[in-house]
Amino acid sequence: MGGLIDLNTTEDEETPSSGSLSPSSSSASVLSASGSASSSPVCLELWHACAGPLISLPKRGSVVVYFPQGHLEQVSDFSGVAPAHDLPPHVFCRVVDVKLHAEGATDEVYAQVSLVPENEKLKEGNIEVDGEEDAEADIKSTTPHMFCKTLTASDTSTHGGFSVPRRAAEDCFPPLDYNQQRPSQELVAKDLHGLEWRFRHIYRGQPRRHLLTTGWSAFVNRKKLVSGDAVLFLRGENGELRLGIRRAAHIKNGTSFHSLCTQQLNRSNFADVVHAISMKSVFSIYYNPRASSSEFIIPVHKFWKSLDHSFSVGMRFKMRFESEDAAEGRYTGVVTGISEMDPVRWSGSKWRCLL
């Protein structure tokens, strides 16, 4: 199991690492709800950066709408495990806890969210939603200097280095002494698990450019990076450098996370989730925020807002998405149809009801 962090604490409350870790260390970082950590604590901003620009997570105590139909889609063969139980398509839940994880082998980020069902007769305006938007705003307000670059073939070559855009290097890395004939320095950056990676940062070539040389190939090999993956660096207000990974589609659509998601779902058997909902007791779900563009845990105010819209065929819409260069983009489209995906098992569901 990879590192985890309590979303409801800040890094200022965490216990700092007592020593450095080498890339060969197999220790994983773990942060408990009390705020004490073994090895180096996972950086909250780094987790969100790796999750991508479109990801937002609920805060403890907030009310959300849980879509079990969407949850099952993250299992590779969800059609075979779709329940025959009398489960409502939309379940109002209070968030009990949120834990953030990073998978040890791939650095893929995922979340464990503990929920307890609320009164299903709740109406808009009768639910306390304090703090639901504050969590996302707090992250954005504390986002440090960061750049993200999709790797090219030369970036992953064993004979080359990592080419860094000049503006990104000057924003994130400590300043170089350009009076030197070959300006260079050693960079130390921590990954999601608290492991330290050391790189030689040099400014050279014709035309001159910023490169990470010594240490870069070891990082590429250890993380099994390929062209199309994205690497991000961020610098906190204290100057500490962090680095993370966003995997390309070959990982996101592969078996690495789906097998983990399936294991977690099978381990706690979906029937147990159904039972917990019927008994209004706490249940936990695991999900990868990058496995699908559709989130199945929605803040309740967004759910009510979506129901206020009178969608119709031919209506134009605008939507955010993550572009190939790992930045946030937008596109427009047209609603071509409105229908329920599975009116037999999920009657009245709003999950993917727009085409």
Side-chain angles (χ1 to χ4, degrees):
M1 187 65 71
L4 62 90
I5 185 172
D6 186 344
L7 183 64
N8 307 288
T9 65
T10 65
E11 197 163 355
D12 290 340
E13 297 170 331
E14 298 165 9
T15 302
S17 169
S18 59
S20 299
L21 292 173
S22 67
S24 61
S25 172
S26 60
S27 300
S29 53
V30 178
L31 181 67
S32 67
S34 63
S36 61
S38 64
S39 80
S40 181
V42 175
C43 174
L44 180 59
E45 291 81 11
L46 181 59
W47 191 98
H48 277 271
C50 292
L54 307 184
I55 303 305
S56 61
L57 287 173
K59 191 175 182 180
R60 180 190 294 168
S62 65
V63 177
V64 297
V65 180
Y66 164 60
F67 291 79
Q69 190 177 359
H71 184 190
L72 287 170
E73 281 190 15
Q74 289 207 1
V75 183
S76 52
D77 185 22
F78 69 91
S79 60
V81 296
H85 307 285
D86 184 20
L87 192 65
H90 319 120
V91 183
F92 292 94
C93 296
R94 182 81 59 176
V95 179
V96 177
D97 201 10
V98 181
K99 289 289 192 299
L100 307 183
H101 301 254
E103 205 279 318
T106 65
D107 280 26
E108 195 76 357
V109 294
Y110 64 102
Q112 175 188 357
V113 182
S114 298
L115 304 171
V116 62
E118 286 276 354
N119 190 335
E120 45 194 57
K121 295 182 180 180
L122 286 172
K123 300 297 183 182
E124 183 177 8
N126 295 336
I127 304 176
E128 295 180 9
V129 295
D130 292 344
E132 290 188 9
E133 295 178 304
D134 294 343
E136 186 174 356
D138 289 345
I139 293 297
K140 291 183 177 180
S141 67
T142 59
T143 299
H145 303 277
M146 185 190 89
F147 77 89
C148 183
K149 181 190 175 186
T150 301
L151 300 179
T152 64
S154 62
D155 288 328
T156 57
S157 168
T158 56
H159 303 293
F162 179 50
S163 178
V164 183
R166 177 166 184 168
R167 182 176 298 178
E170 292 178 347
D171 180 53
C172 282
F173 298 160
L176 288 170
D177 181 2
Y178 291 108
N179 292 322
Q180 296 179 2
Q181 185 175 357
R182 299 184 67 181
S184 65
Q185 64 181 334
E186 182 183 63
L187 296 179
V188 179
K190 289 183 180 179
D191 66 14
L192 275 165
H193 310 289
L195 302 183
E196 279 191 352
W197 296 89
R198 297 178 181 272
F199 305 106
R200 184 73 169 170
H201 171 212
I202 191 167
Y203 186 58
R204 71 180 187 194
Q206 289 296 334
R208 287 196 164 194
R209 56 183 179 146
H210 291 267
L211 292 170
L212 299 187
T213 55
T214 305
W216 176 251
S217 292
F219 179 72
V220 169
N221 293 334
R222 175 69 181 274
K223 300 293 186 181
K224 294 181 172 60
L225 298 176
V226 298
S227 177
D229 290 338
V231 169
L232 57 92
F233 282 84
L234 58 86
R235 174 173 57 84
E237 295 302 322
N238 61 357
E240 188 171 41
L241 199 61
R242 306 273 188 166
L243 81 163
I245 299 168
R246 292 182 192 163
R247 296 287 179 178
H250 71 281
I251 290 291
K252 289 189 290 182
N253 298 330
T255 60
S256 61
F257 183 79
H258 278 142
S259 61
L260 174 63
C261 184
T262 304
Q263 290 170 14
Q264 300 289 8
L265 188 60
N266 291 342
R267 192 174 302 162
S268 60
N269 200 301
F270 199 77
D272 294 337
V273 174
V274 176
H275 178 71
I277 291 174
S278 66
M279 299 298 292
K280 299 194 181 305
S281 58
V282 177
F283 63 98
S284 293
I285 60 172
Y286 296 77
Y287 80 105
N288 181 351
R290 296 179 58 77
S292 170
S293 59
S294 301
E295 299 179 42
F296 58 85
I297 302 176
I298 305 296
V300 69
H301 67 275
K302 289 186 178 181
F303 181 73
W304 291 128
K305 187 176 181 180
S306 70
L307 296 185
D308 286 340
H309 284 288
S310 298
F311 294 100
S312 60
V313 174
M315 179 181 290
R316 297 190 63 82
F317 67 86
K318 185 177 295 184
M319 182 179 291
R320 298 188 302 160
F321 72 103
E322 186 176 320
S323 60
E324 289 186 1
D325 62 357
E328 179 184 336
R330 294 178 183 271
Y331 63 77
T332 58
V334 178
V335 176
T336 60
I338 304 174
S339 62
E340 294 179 19
M341 279 191 67
D342 191 343
V344 175
R345 287 182 293 189
W346 302 101
S347 178
S349 173
K350 298 300 182 182
W351 179 257
R352 297 189 186 277
C353 65
L354 299 181
L355 303 176

